[in-house]
Amino acid sequence: MSSSSKTSAGEHPVRRRRIPLVAVIALALLACVAATVGVVSCAADHVSSDLTDQEMTCCWEDGATPAWMSVQLGIRIPEGASDRRAGYKVGQRFDSGLLSFVLPSEEAETYTGRLIEEGTVMSENRHPEEKGYRPAAAFGHLGLPEPETFVQGLRKTSLCPDDLASPEGKYLQRCVDLFAHEFTAGTTRIYIRSTIEPSITPPPVNDAS
C-alpha cells in the first residue's frame, strides 16, 4: 500500500460534510421565492408606472382654451400676456382647471398685487417637490414644468373668492393656487391651478380666442 493511502497513528480520516437534503431543498425554495418576489416587484412597478401614465393622460377635455378657463376661474388675463395655456381635467370627484401665461416681471408684480389683498406677501417655495413630482392635474400636460419644483424665483399663495378685497379679487370664481415664477431675468410665468366641483361646471366649449 502506498504511503499516500496510509493513515498515521492517532489520525482519523477526514470526512467531507454533506449538506443535508432538507437544507438543499430549503435553499432552492428560498432562491425561487426571491426570484418570484423580484419578478412580481418588477411587474408591480410596471403596472404602477402604466397607471400613472394613464392618470396623467386621461380625461383632459378638448376646447379648454385660456379664454374659456379665464371665465371659469374668474382670472382676467392681462392683454399683454403671451404664451397662454390652459387645461381642464375631469376627475372622479372633482375636476381641475389649469391656466398659465407669461408677463414681463414688472407687469406680473403689478398683476399679482391687484389679485391678492393689500398687505399679503406671496411666500417662497422653501420645501420644493422633487423634479419627478407629478400631481393629478399636472402642468406637464401643457408642456410646462411643475411650479412646486422651483426654488429660485418662485412665489406662491392660495386665494378664495370669499371676501377677497382686491381689485382683481372681485372677479374670482373659484379657490385657486397661484404661482409666479421669474424663469428668466425680467420675465415671469403665472401658474394657476383650481379644484372645481363638476356639478356646477359646464363642459369646455370650442373657442377660437
Side-chain angles (χ1 to χ4, degrees):
M1 182 179 295
S2 65
S3 59
S4 61
S5 62
K6 294 181 181 179
T7 303
S8 302
E11 293 183 356
H12 298 282
V14 178
R15 296 180 179 177
R16 295 182 179 179
R17 297 181 62 185
R18 296 183 177 179
I19 300 176
L21 180 60
V22 174
V24 174
I25 296 174
L27 289 173
L29 288 175
L30 286 174
C32 290
V33 169
T36 301
V37 169
V39 171
V40 171
S41 177
C42 289
D45 290 343
H46 182 70
V47 170
S48 177
S49 177
D50 287 347
L51 290 176
T52 301
D53 290 340
Q54 291 175 12
E55 174 66 16
M56 291 294 294
T57 58
C58 174
C59 312
W60 292 93
E61 293 284 349
D62 294 330
T65 65
W68 181 85
M69 187 56 64
S70 171
V71 172
Q72 300 306 309
L73 300 181
I75 293 289
R76 301 200 305 172
I77 303 175
E79 292 184 4
S82 61
D83 195 14
R84 306 179 184 194
R85 309 187 193 190
Y88 186 84
K89 183 174 185 177
V90 176
Q92 292 183 349
R93 295 183 59 189
F94 298 99
D95 297 347
S96 297
L98 303 178
L99 180 63
S100 181
F101 48 86
V102 172
L103 290 169
S105 293
E106 290 187 5
E107 293 184 26
E109 186 73 21
T110 300
Y111 174 78
T112 56
R114 289 178 57 80
L115 187 56
I116 63 179
E117 290 187 353
E118 184 177 357
T120 300
V121 177
M122 296 178 68
S123 63
E124 298 178 355
N125 192 19
R126 299 185 182 277
H127 302 286
E129 299 288 349
E130 298 292 334
K131 289 187 177 181
Y133 173 66
R134 298 170 71 174
F139 281 96
H141 177 72
L142 307 182
L144 298 171
E146 305 308 319
E148 293 93 339
T149 63
F150 296 125
V151 179
Q152 299 295 327
L154 184 81
R155 296 174 299 120
K156 61 180 183 177
T157 191
S158 296
L159 304 170
C160 282
D162 300 335
D163 300 323
L164 184 57
S166 65
E168 290 294 324
K170 63 184 179 182
Y171 301 105
L172 193 64
Q173 298 295 315
R174 319 281 184 203
C175 291
V176 300
D177 292 324
L178 172 67
F179 305 87
H181 180 232
E182 189 174 24
F183 60 95
T184 60
T187 307
T188 295
R189 177 174 287 281
I190 302 295
Y191 294 83
I192 299 161
R193 180 188 286 117
S194 180
T195 299
I196 303 171
E197 296 180 16
S199 60
I200 59 173
T201 304
V205 295
N206 290 323
D207 189 336
S209 60

